[in-house]
Amino acid sequence: MDLDIQCAEMDPSRWAELLPTMKSCKTIRLDDCNLSSSNCKDLSSIIHENPSLTELKLNNNELGDAGIEYLCKGLLTPGCSLQKLWLQNCNLTSASCETLCSVLCAQPSLTELHVSDNKLETPGVKVLCQGLMNPNCKLQKLQLEYCELTGDVVEALNAALQAKPTLKELSLSNNTLGDTAVKQLCRGLVESNCDLELLHLENCGITSDSCREIGAVLSSKSSLIDLAVGDNKIGDSGVALLCQGLLHPNCKIQKLWLWDCDLTSASCKDLSRVFSTKETLLEVSVVDNNLQDAGMEMLCEALKDPKANLQELWVRECGLTTACCKAVSSVLSVNKHLQILHMSENKLGNAGVEILCEGLLHPNCNIHSLWLGNCNITAACCATLVKVMVTKECLKELDLSYNCLEDEGVKKLCEGVRNPNCKLQHLILYDVYWSTEVENEISELEESRPEVKIIS
């Protein structure tokens, strides 16, 4: 039995009603429920009395250090079997880390700790690392994003990585680490026995100076399948160094996020080699990089290679125009693996989308999710999009937000949704404006086809 309540005001009477239910739940999720430290007293008792509870999510509540102290009393009881604990944005400080450290030392059942968006700071996380080094600690996932950490934290993290081969996921995004610390962290990872699978270092003040060391992690740790270094100014030279690691035979990367990294079309030459040779690679984001049509055409040529197994590609806001759509359409007609394509915020225009639809209609195309928000589309290409909607049963999600479709275009889309051959589940139309007449038509359509969600 699970309890899942989000974004609800939890008044005392409602809370009292829920307490008996919680005593038999395996998962309790109470995100954004206006909970405070006083609720943690009750939750501590629940943890103590309910040995079947394995997952507790309390994100976005003002629990504070006092609340965590109460909570940890329950977590420290011998009967506690909690495996996953989420405390993101709970107004915690470094004072909570002493208490959480004692839990890490005492509870081998705990495998996930998510404490992002709390002002733990470097001294607090150093204390947490002491808990990680305890032989009883079996933590596998540690999330420390937005915790106001500096480069000084890396020495403690490296010591923990050396002592804790069980750790699989480490998220340090949105902390001011800098190149020196990231290089130190990477050297520690290479030297450790830790089989890390996920490393997130987005917005950590990294430049190309760190990329050789990150590349060394990629080439030495075949366990690493998920790397996120978005929102760092690594540039084309940095990506060239990363690709050396990505192309190493030991590298088994599956997910690579390089959004807003100051890349140009020059990076696409290196990335193309990765796309066409790294068969493990399934998901790539290069959002908000100035790749332009020339860069996209290089990526498309690589995606036509039989060894390319990419399933998800994010190229939103990459300076693309109608000119690259023929190359993308060609990929869609030959690549059976690609399922999710994000092309929003590019000036493709009606002509570009018409060309894309040629590839989308090809029998080889297996696209499940297509995002074309703010692509300068009008009602003129909606008839062709409807043809895709009713022909391609694999298409489950279509985003046409922020386009000037007007009543004419939205009516055509409604006709498509009404067709029994259309298997669409989500039609996303944020900031697309229509009349009251069309609003009534959409309401009727939602009643007749409740399995389709029109999101606006």
Side-chain angles (χ1 to χ4, degrees), residues 1-300:
M1 181 178 176
D2 295 342
L3 177 66
D4 190 345
I5 300 174
Q6 299 176 64
C7 305
E9 287 290 324
M10 198 63 66
D11 59 64
S13 59
R14 174 68 171 141
W15 181 252
E17 287 174 11
L18 289 172
L19 286 175
T21 304
M22 292 186 207
K23 291 179 181 179
S24 57
C25 289
K26 287 186 176 180
T27 297
I28 295 174
R29 182 176 182 180
L30 296 167
D31 295 341
D32 271 306
C33 285
N34 198 31
L35 304 184
S36 65
S37 60
S38 60
N39 299 105
C40 291
K41 289 182 182 179
D42 294 324
L43 287 169
S44 182
S45 298
I46 295 296
I47 294 167
H48 175 64
E49 296 171 21
N50 181 2
S52 63
L53 182 64
T54 58
E55 186 169 343
L56 181 59
K57 290 191 174 186
L58 300 171
N59 298 329
N60 305 316
N61 291 294
E62 291 286 319
L63 307 182
D65 296 327
I68 298 307
E69 193 167 340
Y70 289 129
L71 201 65
C72 287
K73 287 178 182 177
L75 292 168
L76 288 167
T77 55
C80 173
S81 301
L82 199 74
Q83 297 172 12
K84 301 175 184 180
L85 179 60
W86 296 68
L87 298 168
Q88 293 180 188
N89 189 27
C90 286
N91 195 27
L92 311 185
T93 72
S94 57
S96 287
C97 293
E98 291 280 358
T99 317
L100 289 168
C101 176
S102 63
V103 173
L104 291 173
C105 293
Q107 283 297 355
S109 65
L110 191 66
T111 58
E112 292 188 25
L113 180 61
H114 302 262
V115 285
S116 295
D117 291 290
N118 289 294
K119 195 177 179 181
L120 304 183
E121 299 182 304
T122 295
V125 172
K126 284 183 176 180
V127 173
L128 277 184
C129 287
Q130 292 173 18
L132 281 169
M133 294 172 69
N134 188 287
N136 285 332
C137 177
K138 306 299 180 188
L139 205 69
Q140 295 178 15
K141 298 181 182 182
L142 179 60
Q143 194 175 73
L144 295 167
E145 300 183 8
Y146 287 108
C147 286
E148 299 192 18
L149 307 182
T150 63
D152 293 339
V153 78
V154 168
E155 186 177 351
L157 284 170
N158 273 347
L161 289 167
Q162 290 282 356
K164 197 55 55 185
T166 57
L167 195 67
K168 302 295 183 187
E169 298 187 7
L170 180 61
S171 300
L172 297 168
S173 296
N174 302 296
N175 290 293
T176 313
L177 302 183
D179 283 323
T180 301
V182 169
K183 288 193 283 186
Q184 184 185 355
L185 177 68
C186 290
R187 286 192 289 267
L189 281 167
V190 170
E191 294 167 5
S192 76
N193 292 322
C194 178
D195 291 327
L196 204 68
E197 296 175 1
L198 177 149
L199 179 61
H200 284 188
L201 296 168
E202 295 180 317
N203 187 28
C204 284
I206 300 171
T207 70
S208 60
D209 198 34
S210 292
C211 290
R212 190 179 301 277
E213 282 76 7
I214 298 172
V217 176
L218 288 164
S219 61
S220 65
K221 292 288 180 185
S222 59
S223 59
L224 188 63
I225 58 174
D226 185 334
L227 176 67
V229 290
D231 201 12
N232 289 294
K233 307 307 177 187
I234 62 175
D236 298 329
S237 59
V239 163
L241 292 169
L242 285 183
C243 287
Q244 290 177 17
L246 290 164
L247 288 166
H248 195 279
N250 285 341
C251 178
K252 307 298 180 188
I253 197 73
Q254 294 180 15
K255 182 176 179 179
L256 179 65
W257 281 57
L258 296 167
W259 59 278
D260 193 14
C261 283
D262 272 3
L263 310 185
T264 71
S265 59
S267 287
C268 295
K269 184 176 181 181
D270 295 300
L271 288 171
S272 293
R273 289 180 61 208
V274 177
F275 281 22
S276 61
T277 58
K278 191 56 61 175
E279 295 180 55
T280 58
L281 187 62
L282 303 177
E283 181 179 337
V284 173
S285 170
V286 283
V287 165
D288 197 14
N289 287 293
N290 192 29
L291 306 184
Q292 300 189 330
D293 295 324
M296 189 62 189
E297 286 169 359
M298 280 189 268
L299 296 181
C300 287

Side-chain angles (χ1 to χ4, degrees), residues 239-377:
V239 163
L241 292 169
L242 285 183
C243 287
Q244 290 177 17
L246 290 164
L247 288 166
H248 195 279
N250 285 341
C251 178
K252 307 298 180 188
I253 197 73
Q254 294 180 15
K255 182 176 179 179
L256 179 65
W257 281 57
L258 296 167
W259 59 278
D260 193 14
C261 283
D262 272 3
L263 310 185
T264 71
S265 59
S267 287
C268 295
K269 184 176 181 181
D270 295 300
L271 288 171
S272 293
R273 289 180 61 208
V274 177
F275 281 22
S276 61
T277 58
K278 191 56 61 175
E279 295 180 55
T280 58
L281 187 62
L282 303 177
E283 181 179 337
V284 173
S285 170
V286 283
V287 165
D288 197 14
N289 287 293
N290 192 29
L291 306 184
Q292 300 189 330
D293 295 324
M296 189 62 189
E297 286 169 359
M298 280 189 268
L299 296 181
C300 287
E301 194 60 35
L303 287 171
K304 288 160 69 176
D305 191 291
K307 292 180 182 176
N309 288 327
L310 202 72
Q311 296 177 3
E312 188 167 343
L313 178 62
W314 296 56
V315 285
R316 188 179 73 239
E317 201 172 351
C318 286
L320 309 182
T321 71
T322 307
C324 76
C325 290
K326 186 175 180 181
V328 178
S329 183
S330 179
V331 170
L332 294 170
S333 66
V334 299
N335 188 316
K336 297 180 180 180
H337 302 290
L338 194 63
Q339 297 177 7
I340 299 172
L341 181 60
H342 289 251
M343 294 191 72
S344 298
E345 307 286 340
N346 290 294
K347 295 180 180 180
L348 307 182
N350 292 331
V353 172
E354 294 278 355
I355 294 168
L356 285 183
C357 287
E358 292 174 14
L360 289 165
L361 288 166
H362 195 280
N364 285 336
C365 180
N366 195 30
I367 287 289
H368 294 185
S369 178
L370 179 64
W371 295 63
L372 297 170
N374 197 16
C375 284
N376 289 9
I377 300 171

